[in-house]
């Protein structure tokens, strides 16, 4: 079977450094664009270009494939040429208490309005107190009081004249004005009044009653005049106050004459100032201070006339691009802050703070999907904002309170923003299948691949990436051999000669590590030796478990033979996954066959150490034997299959060919060469199918053989489809080149069993008989013997009955 042996050239792809036209990556121009992600870039361009609200973008791919950096770069370049969005402000709503009105203005104007209103508030705080301290105000106030006092005096003089005419005098007492009868101009005492005749008393009583009615009417008129005086005083104060502040608004009204909402706000400010005139009027008499407490006598507040500059885009040169790393509900949708005063939580429209959606309005918002999903309320609120086309600031704690409280209700801000979610494929498909709204609001899928084709153009792009990373991080540049070795490692990462890895996060780490070792050796450029050193150091930091298992194999604690032959015993190959590191090691698979009808007994499955894919691989073996050997006889076969010294779970079908080789060996009685390890899955027709981790498996068995002694007869059998995945390390390739180790590529079970046993597999003849002395012939004869033995045993048992 020499034709199945692989040459050293087939064991790895070599990147030729001579193809590079530079001596150092420092000579290369800057990298433009993203490498090997044409499909994703096309989707992103479409998603960013279409303005429909539902065409937001979900960028999916494995971490490290450049998802975040690419989308940020593309959006940043696109946003720079787009118009700057408007500013947003919040103003006090003078019409409805507890609300705030949002105001939209061209970029830069909102900050100017805020400054103008701050200056206005400062002037108001100065001018309004002066109004009530001015001589003009006092004169007008005194004039109004004097005019009404004159009216009061006139009324009482008329009443007093009428009283004198009717022999009464008007006197003041503790209880107010009283009418006292007189005689000869002198007030009568009670005794003198009683001494009068009945006629005189009756006349005075009648006159007194009439005068009392007149007094009541005068007092009513006085009260009405006092009310009129207060009204006139307030009117005068408003006129004076409006005259004092009116000119302060005139310049602003002229400046903002094109903004109706601003003019309406100015009018509301003036109206509110006049309505609050009692607050601005100086208090009469100082309030008594309470020890230990300050600020009980508060000055009138002017906060309601200020402008809350909510979103200021005046400094932007294009559309905003916002990446919110921590998309909590409040960070994304804004919040209403409170201050504690005298044990109470106080707030107003100036304490409304924007969220990332507000800052990104008119531009782009980039979010990490996982972070959005793990933050309470965020995902549902995000969909609600997209659906309604507005961002509403709410206190989410309100819905959990037992008692409703009065809170500020800001007017929602209209939303015009392209939202980009970045996540893994698992999150994308999970949301797509479980959330009907997701597919309506994130219609564009930008799928970043973890690999790209191994073409000359992409290799050159890799060199540009290395140059860009070295320049960005100020590390040592690479020479052509260093770049070539880096590209080879990229192919090894993806386990494919025809493809390169797109996980540039890992490549960037290797660039840094190789540069570190070049600097340690005081080399100006990073070469292939430094990249190899970085790879070896990375392996050494992670392979403690691998070395421990290797020690167990070398000392004989784990039984693995690499020499000799044994019936029904084959070296299978397993891959151990330990987070960021994987390695291969051989596992002894033993098979025992005997008479019976139990079929294949998978010991791992019986003790629940076998996964469903491995169980499927074992069950396929029954189909293989039925198709090949049970067309003319029943299978009177029972077999037990075991991974020796395996105490953890076994999963995957890559050992199914190993188990089948063991069955064929056990049934035929032909011993299997222990220096050959086997991997590959098998179907019911006996065809070998590809598996994963082929490089780790070959290198793992080579390490064991090297420790036990290479004899030139050892090697590994792999599926022929996995030849394109071979990117073996240099030591294994050198061992193959020197004839100390071998790698076979097989496509069928027959090819593999011939290599393992050295005996031809044999092909079924036209009469259905297998050739004598072949593996299949020996297996068929043994199965016939077992079937005949079972038949005779059954007949003998029936005869005994």
């Amino acid at each position: 079977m020499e034709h199945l042996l692989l040459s050293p050239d087939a064991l790895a792809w070599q990147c030729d450094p001579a193809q590079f036209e530079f001596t150092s990556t420092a000579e290369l121009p800057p990298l433009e664009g993203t490498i090997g992600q044409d499909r994703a870039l096309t989707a992103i361009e479409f998603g960013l270009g279409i303005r429909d609200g539902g065409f937001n973008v979900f960028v999916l791919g494995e971490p490290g494939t450049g998802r975040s950096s690419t989308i940020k770069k593309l959006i940043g370049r696109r946003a720079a040429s787009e118009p700057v969005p408007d500013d947003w402000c919040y103003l006090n709503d003078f019409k409805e208490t507890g609300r705030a009105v949002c105001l939209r203005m061209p970029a830069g104007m909102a900050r100017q309005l805020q400054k103008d209103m701050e200056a206005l508030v400062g002037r108001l705080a100065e001018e309004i107190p002066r109004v009530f301290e001015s001589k003009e105000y006092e004169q007008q106030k005194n004039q109004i009081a004097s005019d009404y006092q004159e009216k009061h005096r006139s009324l009482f003089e008329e009443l007093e004249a009428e009283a004198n005419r009717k022999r009464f005098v008007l006197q003041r007492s503790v209880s107010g004005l009283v009418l006292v009868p007189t005689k000869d101009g002198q007030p009568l005492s009670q005794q003198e009044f009683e001494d009068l005749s009945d006629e005189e008393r009756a006349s005075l009583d009648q006159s007194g009653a009439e005068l009392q009615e007149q007094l009541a009417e005068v007092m009513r008129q006085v009260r009405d005049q006092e009310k009129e005086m207060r009204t006139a005083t307030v009117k005068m104060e408003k006129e004076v106050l409006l005259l004092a502040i009116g000119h302060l608004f005139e310049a602003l009204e002229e400046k903002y004459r094109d903004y109706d909402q601003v003019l309406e706000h100015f009018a509301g400010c003036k109206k509110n100032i006049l309505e609050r005139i009692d607050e601005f009027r100086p208090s009469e008499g100082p309030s008594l201070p309470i020890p230990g407490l300050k600020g009980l006598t508060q000055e009138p507040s002017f906060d309601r006339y200020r402008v809350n500059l909510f979103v200021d885009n005046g400094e932007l040169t294009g559309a905003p691009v916002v990446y919110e790393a921590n998309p909590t509900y409040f960070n994304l949708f804004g919040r209403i802050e409170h201050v504690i005063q005298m044990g109470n939580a106080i707030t107003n429209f100036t304490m409304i703070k924007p969220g990332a959606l507000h800052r990104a309005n008119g531009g782009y918002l980039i979010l990490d999907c996982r972070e959005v999903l793990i933050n309470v309320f965020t995902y549902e609120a995000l969909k609600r904002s997209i659906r309604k086309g507005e961002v509403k600031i709410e206190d989410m704690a309100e819905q959990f309170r037992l008692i409703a409280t009065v809170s500020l209700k800001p007017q929602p801000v209209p939303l015009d923003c392209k939202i980009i979610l970045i996540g893994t494929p698992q999150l994308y498909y999970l949301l797509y299948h479980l959330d009907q709204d997701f597919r309506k609001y994130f219609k564009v899928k930008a799928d970043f691949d973890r690999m790209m084709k191994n073409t000359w153009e992409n290799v050159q792009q890799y060199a540009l990436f290395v140059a860009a990373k070295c320049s960005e991080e100020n590390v040592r540049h690479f020479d052509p051999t260093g770049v070539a070795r880096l590209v080879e490692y990229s192919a090894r990462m993806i386990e494919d000669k025809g493809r390169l890895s797109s996980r540039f996060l890992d490549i960037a780490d290797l660039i840094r590590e190789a540069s570190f070792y070049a600097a340690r050796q005081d080399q100006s450029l990073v070469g292939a030796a430094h990249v190899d050193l970085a790879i070896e150091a990375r392996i050494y930091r992670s392979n403690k478990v691998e070395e421990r298992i290797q020690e167990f194999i070398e000392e004989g604690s784990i039984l693995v033979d690499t020499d000799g032959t044994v019936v029904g015993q084959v070296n299978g190959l397993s891959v151990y996954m330990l987070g960021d590191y994987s390695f291969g090691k051989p596992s002894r698979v033993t098979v025992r066959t005997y008479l019976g009808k139990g079929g294949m007994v998978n010991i791992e499955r019986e003790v629940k150490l076998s996964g469903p894919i491995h169980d499927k691989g074992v069950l396929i073996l029954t189909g293989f034997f039925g198709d090949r050997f049970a067309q003319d006889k029943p299978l009177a076969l029972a077999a037990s299959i075991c991974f020796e010294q395996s105490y953890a779970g076994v999963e995957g079908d890559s050992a199914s060919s190993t188990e089948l080789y063991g069955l064929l060996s056990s049934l035929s009685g032909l011993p299997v060469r222990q220096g050959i390890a086997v991997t590959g899955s098998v179907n019911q027709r006996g065809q070998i199918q590809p598996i994963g981790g082929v490089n780790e498996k070959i290198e793992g068995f080579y390490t064991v053989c090297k420790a036990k002694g290479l004899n030139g007869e050892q090697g590994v059998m792999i599926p022929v489809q996995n030849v394109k995945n071979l990117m073996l390390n240099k030591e294994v390739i050198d061992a193959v080149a020197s004839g100390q180790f071998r790698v076979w590529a097989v496509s069928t079970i027959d090819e593999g069993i011939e290599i393992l046993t050295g005996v031809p597999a044999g092909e079924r003849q036209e009469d259905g008989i297998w050739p004598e002395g072949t593996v299949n012939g020996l297996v068929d004869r043994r199965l016939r013997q077992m079937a005949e033995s079972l038949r005779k045993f059954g007949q003998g048992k029936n005869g005994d009955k």
Side-chain angles (χ1 to χ4, degrees):
M1 305 299 287
E2 293 296 322
H3 67 284
L4 300 178
L5 280 172
L6 296 178
S7 66
D9 293 338
L11 301 182
W13 168 74
Q14 303 290 327
C15 180
D16 186 5
Q19 67 179 300
F20 299 116
E21 299 177 354
F22 60 86
T23 57
S24 168
T25 52
E27 304 168 7
L28 297 177
L31 174 66
E32 295 182 0
T34 301
I35 308 173
Q37 300 291 353
D38 295 339
R39 179 183 288 104
L41 295 179
T42 302
I44 291 172
E45 288 295 332
F46 167 75
L48 298 181
I50 190 169
R51 302 309 301 175
D52 189 276
F55 284 83
N56 296 298
V57 182
F58 193 105
V59 180
L60 66 153
E62 294 182 5
T65 54
R67 303 168 305 170
S68 300
S69 58
T70 299
I71 194 68
K72 290 176 184 177
K73 187 184 301 181
L74 289 176
I75 292 178
R77 188 163 53 240
R78 186 185 189 91
S81 60
E82 295 183 351
V84 178
D86 293 337
D87 291 340
W88 289 94
C89 304
Y90 267 110
L91 308 175
N92 184 53
D93 190 347
F94 294 108
K95 297 178 180 179
E96 185 175 348
T97 304
R99 285 185 57 83
V101 181
C102 64
L103 170 64
R104 184 174 191 165
M105 300 190 75
M109 287 295 295
R111 176 168 291 279
Q112 187 61 48
L113 176 62
Q114 184 197 38
K115 292 180 179 178
D116 290 340
M117 291 304 293
E118 286 294 327
L120 176 66
V121 165
R123 292 292 303 278
L124 290 175
E126 294 175 359
E127 295 295 332
I128 291 178
R130 290 177 183 174
V131 170
F132 298 100
E133 297 172 359
S134 65
K135 289 183 178 181
E136 292 80 2
Y137 168 74
E138 290 295 334
Q139 289 174 355
Q140 294 189 45
K141 182 178 180 181
N142 292 337
Q143 184 62 46
I144 293 173
S146 176
D147 291 344
Y148 278 94
Q149 286 175 2
E150 182 62 29
K151 292 180 181 180
H152 295 171
R153 188 181 61 77
S154 177
L155 287 174
F156 283 112
E157 284 180 353
E158 292 177 3
L159 179 61
E160 196 166 6
E162 180 66 19
N164 291 336
R165 191 176 63 79
K166 293 183 178 182
R167 296 189 297 167
F168 276 83
V169 66
L170 195 60
Q171 292 184 345
R172 296 184 180 275
S173 67
V174 177
S175 59
L177 295 176
V178 295
L179 291 167
V180 179
T182 62
K183 186 176 182 181
D184 299 330
Q186 297 297 323
L188 294 176
S189 64
Q190 184 63 32
Q191 185 61 44
E192 290 175 338
F193 179 75
E194 292 177 357
D195 292 341
L196 295 175
S197 63
D198 292 338
E199 294 178 359
E200 289 178 326
R201 284 201 304 271
S203 175
L204 289 173
D205 286 340
Q206 182 178 358
S207 298
E210 294 173 355
L211 289 172
Q212 192 66 42
E213 290 179 2
Q214 292 179 12
L215 176 59
E217 176 64 21
V218 168
M219 295 303 296
R220 186 189 63 76
Q221 292 180 15
V222 169
R223 287 193 296 271
D224 289 344
Q225 289 177 359
E226 288 178 347
K227 188 181 298 183
E228 291 175 3
M229 182 184 69
R230 288 194 295 271
T231 302
T233 302
V234 171
K235 181 180 179 182
M236 178 273 297
E237 290 175 338
K238 289 183 178 180
E239 291 175 351
V240 173
L241 188 57
L242 185 59
L243 184 64
I245 66 173
H247 70 281
L248 300 178
F249 284 91
E250 289 176 358
L252 294 180
E253 289 170 344
E254 175 63 25
K255 183 176 181 179
Y256 298 99
R257 64 180 182 275
D258 296 330
Y259 304 98
D260 294 337
Q261 198 171 356
V262 177
L263 296 178
E264 184 180 350
H265 178 66
F266 290 159
C269 290
K270 289 188 286 187
K271 182 179 179 182
N272 185 258
I273 289 173
L274 299 180
E275 290 173 351
R276 298 174 61 204
I277 198 165
D278 290 339
E279 299 179 32
F280 299 126
R281 193 181 296 115
S283 59
E284 298 183 6
S287 60
L288 295 176
I290 300 176
L293 293 179
K294 297 181 180 180
L296 292 179
T297 57
Q298 296 182 353
E299 295 294 328
S301 172
F302 293 91
D303 286 345
R304 66 189 68 183
Y305 311 125
R306 289 186 163 91
V307 172
N308 179 2
L309 182 56
F310 193 60
V311 177
D312 180 16
N313 292 322
E315 301 294 329
L316 295 180
T317 56
V321 180
V322 177
Y323 174 69
E324 180 53 62
N326 182 26
T328 63
Y329 179 84
F330 295 114
N331 285 351
L332 204 56
F333 302 98
R335 62 191 183 277
I336 303 173
E337 296 180 343
H338 296 73
V339 295
I340 305 300
Q341 292 183 359
M342 304 296 290
N344 297 317
I346 307 298
T347 188
N348 58 47
F349 77 99
T350 63
M351 299 183 190
I352 303 173
K353 303 301 179 182
L357 264 178
H358 299 103
R359 298 193 303 274
N361 208 3
Y364 305 89
L365 176 64
I366 306 172
L367 301 170
D368 186 283
C369 181
R370 177 182 174 275
E371 296 295 330
V372 170
L373 295 177
I374 64 176
N375 279 287
V376 182
F377 307 122
T378 298
Y379 180 61
E380 291 299 326
L382 181 63
K383 293 192 299 179
R384 188 162 53 248
S385 295
I386 298 173
R387 180 170 58 249
K388 294 185 176 181
E390 63 182 24
V391 188
K392 189 175 183 180
I393 302 177
E394 297 179 294
D395 182 4
M396 297 306 296
E398 284 186 9
Q399 57 186 298
F400 298 104
R401 295 186 184 128
L402 297 177
I403 302 175
T405 58
V406 178
S407 60
L408 189 62
K409 300 294 183 183
Q411 184 180 359
V413 175
L415 178 63
D416 178 20
C417 178
K418 183 70 70 174
I419 299 172
I420 297 92
L421 285 182
I422 301 175
T424 61
Q426 292 86 346
L427 286 178
Y428 174 83
Y429 292 111
L430 183 69
L431 289 171
Y432 189 88
H433 289 295
L434 298 181
D435 183 10
Q436 296 296 323
D437 292 332
F438 175 77
R439 62 188 71 179
K440 292 192 298 183
Y441 301 137
F442 292 90
K443 295 181 180 180
V444 181
K445 176 177 71 171
D447 196 349
F448 275 70
D449 201 347
R450 68 185 184 92
M451 65 182 75
M452 58 185 168
K453 291 183 178 180
N454 185 355
T455 63
W456 182 87
E457 290 80 5
N458 284 337
V459 171
Q460 301 299 318
Q461 290 287 312
Y462 246 88
L464 294 178
F465 172 78
V466 174
K469 187 60 63 177
C470 292
S471 298
E472 286 174 11
E473 303 194 5
N474 196 26
V475 297
R476 278 168 166 74
H477 280 272
F478 281 57
D479 65 18
T481 64
V483 175
R485 186 67 188 92
L486 196 71
V487 174
E488 292 171 1
Y489 180 75
S490 172
R492 164 68 184 243
M493 286 175 60
I494 213 66
E495 290 192 339
D496 196 325
K497 298 174 183 176
R499 289 179 171 81
L500 302 176
S501 174
S502 297
R503 290 179 55 89
F504 290 102
L505 180 65
D506 295 334
I507 299 298
D509 287 340
L510 187 58
I511 291 173
R512 300 183 189 102
E513 294 170 21
S515 177
F516 168 80
Y517 288 107
R520 173 174 284 185
Q521 295 180 2
D522 198 23
Q523 298 293 316
S524 59
L525 294 176
V526 180
H530 303 116
V531 177
D532 287 333
L533 189 59
I535 295 172
E536 293 171 5
R538 178 180 289 187
I539 293 173
Y540 180 72
R541 294 194 297 269
S542 304
N543 72 342
K544 183 184 72 173
V545 176
E546 179 185 14
E547 289 190 352
R548 188 62 50 83
I549 294 175
Q550 180 65 28
E551 291 173 2
F552 290 155
I553 293 174
E554 292 176 11
E555 67 187 21
S557 298
I558 296 178
L559 302 178
V560 175
D561 291 335
T562 59
D563 196 9
T565 59
V566 179
V567 174
Q569 178 175 298
V570 186
N571 284 326
L573 294 171
S574 302
V575 174
Y576 295 78
M577 306 292 294
L578 298 176
D580 61 340
Y581 182 68
S582 60
F583 61 94
K585 287 298 175 186
S587 299
R588 174 180 287 180
V589 179
T590 58
V591 178
R592 294 294 177 265
T593 54
Y594 41 88
L595 188 65
K597 295 183 178 181
M600 310 296 174
V601 177
N602 178 11
I603 293 178
E604 268 68 34
R605 181 181 64 185
E606 297 301 318
V607 296
K608 296 181 174 57
L609 287 178
S610 175
I613 298 177
H614 180 252
D615 291 342
K616 176 184 176 181
V618 174
L619 293 175
I620 286 174
L621 304 184
T622 303
F624 170 82
F625 273 91
D627 175 67
R628 178 166 291 195
F629 300 111
Q631 300 297 325
D632 54 357
K633 58 185 173 299
L635 282 178
L637 168 68
S640 65
I641 304 171
C642 179
F643 276 73
E644 302 291 349
Q645 293 183 291
S646 174
Y647 308 107
V650 177
E651 179 59 312
D653 62 350
S654 64
S656 56
S657 64
T658 308
E659 295 161 343
L660 183 51
Y661 291 135
L663 284 166
L664 295 174
S665 170
S666 178
L667 288 169
S668 66
L670 296 172
V672 171
R673 296 164 61 185
Q674 298 301 292
I676 300 176
V678 178
T679 185
S681 66
V682 66
N683 60 25
Q684 295 185 106
R685 298 176 60 189
Q687 296 173 322
I688 303 296
Q689 300 172 144
I691 44 81
V694 63
N695 294 296
E696 289 84 353
K697 291 177 178 179
I698 294 174
E699 291 169 357
F701 189 66
Y702 169 79
T703 303
V704 173
C705 293
K706 177 184 175 183
K708 289 180 173 286
L710 294 171
N711 56 22
E713 299 296 324
Q714 296 145 330
V716 176
M717 283 197 316
I718 65 170
V720 68
Q721 300 94 330
N722 284 120
V723 173
K724 66 182 181 64
N725 304 116
L726 292 177
M727 285 297 296
L728 296 173
N729 61 40
K730 188 174 184 301
E731 184 178 359
V732 177
I733 296 174
D734 291 343
V736 172
S738 63
Q740 294 180 306
F741 196 73
R742 299 181 180 186
V743 179
W744 292 269
V746 298
S747 56
T748 64
I749 286 294
D750 290 338
E751 291 177 349
I753 198 66
E754 286 189 24
I755 295 172
L756 289 172
T757 62
V759 177
E763 295 185 7
R764 190 192 300 268
Q765 301 174 3
E766 293 182 0
D767 58 359
I769 304 300
W770 297 94
E772 288 290 333
T774 63
V775 176
N776 287 320
L778 293 172
V779 171
D780 184 68
R781 185 176 67 179
R782 175 59 179 155
L783 289 174
R784 286 183 182 278
Q785 293 173 353
M786 296 173 74
E788 182 65 21
S789 298
L790 185 62
R791 184 184 65 82
K792 291 180 179 180
F793 179 78
Q795 290 177 347
K797 191 172 183 180
N798 292 332
D800 294 340
K801 289 180 179 180

